[in-house]
Amino acid sequence: MAINPTLATDENCGELFPLPLDGETFVLRRDHIFFQIELINYVETSPKCGCRCVLIDTITGTKRQKPKLKLWGKGILFLSSKRIVFRATSGFSRADFRSFELPLPHLYKWKFKQPMLGSNHLYGHFVVADPTSPLAGATTSWQIHFQNGGCHQFLPLFYITLKQSKEESMRAAGEWDEDASEWNAAAYRQVAYIDPTDPSILYTRQPQVRVGSEETVSFLHSKAED
């Protein structure tokens, strides 16, 4: 998980998209997204002593406290074979918050809600496993709101891509059960149909990085939240 992962310009359309990781394939993009995260157990460097301190801990405590870090914005969601990346285009909570990535293998307790009033939304949790990350130790609660159109095309593709990513992660860690169900490319083709109420854009060809177009926005982890 990272705040402000590197973006690049797509040579095909001239728009910003996540700089591809090794072996990454983009599945779809979705506009008109409201995205929000709460870092519930946020670890940051103390400006006084320079040590890494847990400033908020609501996971084991009984009293609910305000998260140390809460970010939101409106923009575009990208789903790839490895992660979900949100790129904020408007309404972002901080000037230095422009994008966020959620690696698929580490998502858990995710659910989809389709309320009578309000937008469809996907939400869940994520724990930062990388000990070198500035967000190490943070338990993240995330929400993805679809503010335009349905999700009958997005949800099956998300589920299948998530399943494949988790299986590959388990194989790499030597935890794969050979009796478990295998990734089935035919299943992917089965759900890749056109739903007129779902404005998700499927990638029929992969975006190409324009040379020298990479950009990264620095995020001030030590900035205090009001």
Side-chain angles (χ1 to χ4, degrees):
M1 182 181 75
I3 300 175
N4 294 341
T6 302
L7 305 176
T9 300
D10 183 357
E11 189 67 56
N12 298 324
C13 64
E15 296 184 358
L16 287 174
F17 78 107
L19 183 69
L21 304 175
D22 291 341
E24 182 175 32
T25 301
F26 286 93
V27 178
L28 61 81
R29 58 167 281 176
R30 179 73 180 256
D31 298 332
H32 304 291
I33 295 293
F34 175 79
F35 179 82
Q36 177 177 292
I37 60 165
E38 294 183 359
L39 299 177
I40 301 172
N41 185 19
Y42 183 53
V43 181
E44 73 175 25
T45 301
S46 170
K48 295 182 178 180
C49 63
C51 60
R52 291 173 64 79
C53 307
V54 178
L55 301 179
I56 293 292
D57 187 356
T58 60
I59 301 302
T60 59
T62 57
K63 183 179 179 180
R64 176 70 179 176
Q65 302 181 56
K66 181 181 179 181
K68 178 59 183 178
L69 187 62
K70 186 174 181 179
L71 303 171
W72 66 86
K74 296 180 180 180
I76 305 169
L77 178 146
F78 298 86
L79 173 65
S80 79
S81 58
K82 295 180 179 291
R83 55 184 174 157
I84 289 174
V85 178
F86 168 77
R87 177 170 76 84
T89 58
S90 65
F92 26 83
S93 54
R94 288 173 43 160
D96 58 350
F97 172 57
R98 295 305 176 89
S99 57
F100 199 92
E101 72 173 6
L102 294 168
L104 295 177
H106 303 298
L107 301 185
Y108 71 98
K109 292 185 178 179
W110 65 271
K111 294 183 179 180
F112 178 74
K113 289 290 187 180
Q114 194 172 21
M116 293 292 294
L117 299 175
S119 59
N120 298 333
H121 56 278
L122 189 69
Y123 65 98
H125 298 274
F126 177 92
V127 175
V128 182
D130 182 2
T132 65
S133 170
L135 302 177
T139 299
T140 303
S141 171
W142 51 271
Q143 298 180 33
I144 297 171
H145 291 255
F146 304 87
Q147 297 187 311
N148 180 39
C151 294
H152 293 125
Q153 186 166 249
F154 172 87
L155 279 177
L157 289 174
F158 166 72
Y159 175 76
I160 292 173
T161 306
L162 177 67
K163 179 174 180 289
Q164 179 195 23
S165 181
K166 286 183 176 291
E167 289 177 358
E168 291 177 349
S169 179
M170 292 173 65
R171 287 193 184 97
E175 301 173 352
W176 175 244
D177 180 0
E178 292 297 337
D179 292 331
S181 58
E182 293 288 340
W183 161 253
N184 188 348
Y188 180 98
R189 292 193 296 269
Q190 182 179 358
V191 300
Y193 61 89
I194 299 300
D195 174 7
T197 70
D198 186 332
S200 299
I201 301 173
L202 306 185
Y203 280 98
T204 57
R205 62 174 179 172
Q206 291 300 293
Q208 302 297 314
V209 176
R210 181 177 296 172
V211 177
S213 66
E214 294 88 346
E215 66 174 61
T216 302
V217 176
S218 297
F219 185 82
L220 302 178
H221 290 278
S222 61
K223 179 180 178 181
E225 294 296 307
D226 297 329

